[in-house]
């Protein structure tokens, strides 16, 4: 998993099998193009289990979704050469598959293979709300069934602190509004038997988001104004990640188990395709401040940096870093 900070620093989460131990690690690179060369990282630390997802939550705060079922909070020390643990809470009973910071600073949402979605107060190191179909409960409030199978992705609105989306292996795509007594609303994804696997909110439009599914489709959906959708058959296998750029008219990038990287414009017209990854692609992040550089990480131990030359034309090549274990 990869995540970019506003100043350009790249956060990399990795997993590896060492002997009989499945371990994880977190790396920070001030110069993203040096990733994943360990000799050029500014800070790094080993975790107790594999890292499924990792996100920046502040200039120094790092949020980790662990294979152990824990949500972990780490922080860069003042000199930014050490990463120190703030807390590690084993609130899930299975792999934490996805984690997403909320628009409200200091809060986040996690989703897990245990079918639970949990809302966190990071400052208090505690869970505020818990959502699960079998238990049919959240704190002090009952609600209709949510996900009955493992959660594949959670994504918080970048502008509305009460809203987030979730997808699960049960094929459901849910919109959550924590202000409502019944917070979950199921979104219609049509008659297709596919399961949504990845979600990304539009950075400028609070009612627009994109999702990818296990057939390789990418769908951009407008929740208001007629609930319109646009669809592209971007991949031949499961979509594993989506990311909007920070341009004034954002580009949408997608990665997949078909080992390719695609970038589409506002009309979902493909403008870039890279097939140099030799294994599943599992990490994606745009550089900040309107940058045209996209970073992807794969199981082939490669970190690739792709530069869009223009919004209309795809570049002839992309930069690749030396292999390690993203």
């Amino acid at each position: 998993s990869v995540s970019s900070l506003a100043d350009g620093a790249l956060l990399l989460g990795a997993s590896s099998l060492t002997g009989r131990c499945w371990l994880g690690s977190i790396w920070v690179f001030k110069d993203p193009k040096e990733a994943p060369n360990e000799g050029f990282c500014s800070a790094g630390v080993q975790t107790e289990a594999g890292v499924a997802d990792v996100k920046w939550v502040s200039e120094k705060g790092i949020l980790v979704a662990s294979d152990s079922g824990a949500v972990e909070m780490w922080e860069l020390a003042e000199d930014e050469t050490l990463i120190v643990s703030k807390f590690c809470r084993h609130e899930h009973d299975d792999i934490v598959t996805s984690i997403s910071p909320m628009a409200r600073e200091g809060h986040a949402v996690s989703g897990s293979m245990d079918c639970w979605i949990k809302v966190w107060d990071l400052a208090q190191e505690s869970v505020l709300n818990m959502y699960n179909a079998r238990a049919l409960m959240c704190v002090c409030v009952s609600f209709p069934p949510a996900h009955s199978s493992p959660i594949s992705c959670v994504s918080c609105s970048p502008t509305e602190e009460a809203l987030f989306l979730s997808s699960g292996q049960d094929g459901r795509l849910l919109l959550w509004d924590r202000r409502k007594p019944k917070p979950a609303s199921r979104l219609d994804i049509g008659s297709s038997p596919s399961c949504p696997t990845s979600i990304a909110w539009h950075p400028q439009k609070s009612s627009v988001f994109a999702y990818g599914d296990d057939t390789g489709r990418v769908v951009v959906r407008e929740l208001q104004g007629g609930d319109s959708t646009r669809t592209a058959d971007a991949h031949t296998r499961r979509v594993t990640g989506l990311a909007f750029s920070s341009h004034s008219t954002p580009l949408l990038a997608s990665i997949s188990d078909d080992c390719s990287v695609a970038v589409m414009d506002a009309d979902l017209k493909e403008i870039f395709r890279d097939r140099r990854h030799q294994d599943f692609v599992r990490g994606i992040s745009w550089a900040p401040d309107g940058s045209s550089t996209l970073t992807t990480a794969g199981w082939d131990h490669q970190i690739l940096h792709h530069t869009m030359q223009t919004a209309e034309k795809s570049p002839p090549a992309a930069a690749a870093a030396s292999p390690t274990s993203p």
Side-chain angles (χ1 to χ4, degrees):
S1 180
V2 291
S3 178
S4 296
L5 190 60
D7 67 0
L10 184 71
L11 176 62
L12 172 64
S15 304
S16 62
L17 184 64
T18 305
R20 295 183 177 182
C21 298
W22 180 247
L23 301 174
S25 55
I26 311 166
W27 306 89
V28 176
F29 292 87
K30 287 298 184 183
D31 182 355
K33 293 184 178 180
E34 299 293 351
N37 191 324
E38 297 178 14
F40 291 94
C41 80
S42 58
V45 68
Q46 182 174 293
T47 60
E48 66 173 18
V51 174
D53 198 6
V54 63
K55 295 288 195 308
W56 288 107
V57 290
S58 65
E59 290 185 359
K60 296 183 183 296
I62 298 169
L63 198 58
V64 174
S66 173
D67 287 350
S68 69
V71 169
E72 304 177 19
M73 183 73 181
W74 297 78
E75 190 172 80
L76 279 173
E78 285 299 322
D79 60 3
E80 300 188 354
T81 60
L82 293 174
I83 303 176
V84 296
S85 176
K86 301 298 290 183
F87 71 81
C88 176
R89 293 289 304 272
H90 290 80
E91 293 287 346
H92 288 285
D93 295 326
D94 208 328
I95 296 170
V96 183
T97 54
S98 180
I99 199 157
S100 179
M102 301 179 74
R104 181 182 179 185
E105 186 175 353
H107 292 73
V109 175
S110 62
S112 169
M113 293 285 287
D114 66 3
C115 309
W116 284 92
I117 293 173
K118 303 198 175 187
V119 180
W120 293 79
D121 183 329
L122 302 178
Q124 297 298 318
E125 304 178 15
S126 63
V127 173
L128 295 177
N129 303 95
M130 301 180 290
Y131 305 111
N132 175 273
R134 291 190 300 270
L136 301 183
M137 61 82 71
C138 67
V139 176
C140 300
V141 178
S142 297
F143 67 99
H147 291 290
S148 57
S149 296
I151 312 299
S152 56
C153 186
V154 292
S155 180
C156 295
S157 167
T159 57
E160 300 288 339
E161 64 181 56
L163 300 182
F164 67 91
L165 291 157
S166 66
S167 62
Q169 293 180 17
D170 53 11
R172 292 173 176 169
L173 179 64
L174 301 182
L175 173 65
W176 298 82
D177 187 338
R178 296 176 56 237
R179 296 166 296 190
K180 297 181 178 180
K182 296 181 179 181
S185 300
R186 185 172 181 176
L187 301 178
D188 182 19
I189 60 172
S191 58
S192 171
S194 62
C195 290
T197 54
S198 184
I199 311 167
W201 286 87
H202 194 286
Q204 300 158 8
K205 300 177 181 178
S206 60
S207 63
V208 177
F209 69 94
Y211 72 88
D213 65 26
D214 57 2
T215 69
R217 290 190 314 156
V218 172
V219 180
V220 174
R221 182 162 182 170
E222 167 69 63
L223 293 173
Q224 298 175 354
D227 198 12
S228 62
T229 61
R230 286 168 289 149
T231 303
D233 294 320
H235 298 278
T236 57
R237 300 183 70 180
R238 177 175 63 143
V239 177
T240 55
L242 294 167
F244 282 100
S245 72
S246 55
H247 295 94
S248 57
T249 302
L251 302 175
L252 176 60
S254 61
I255 54 176
S256 168
D257 280 351
D258 67 7
C259 308
S260 74
V261 179
V263 178
M264 293 162 281
D265 62 16
D267 298 318
L268 289 190
K269 178 183 177 182
E270 182 179 311
I271 64 169
F272 175 83
R273 175 78 63 169
D274 190 289
R275 303 182 186 275
R276 288 176 301 128
H277 279 294
Q278 300 300 307
D279 208 332
F280 300 151
V281 192
R282 292 298 172 85
I284 184 169
S285 181
W286 287 94
D289 298 328
S291 172
S292 295
T293 299
L294 174 72
T295 299
T296 58
W299 282 12
D300 56 358
H301 300 178
Q302 288 193 94
I303 305 292
L304 301 182
H305 304 285
H306 319 269
T307 300
M308 310 297 114
Q309 291 181 338
T310 68
E312 294 79 29
K313 187 181 299 183
S314 61
S322 58
T324 187
S325 54

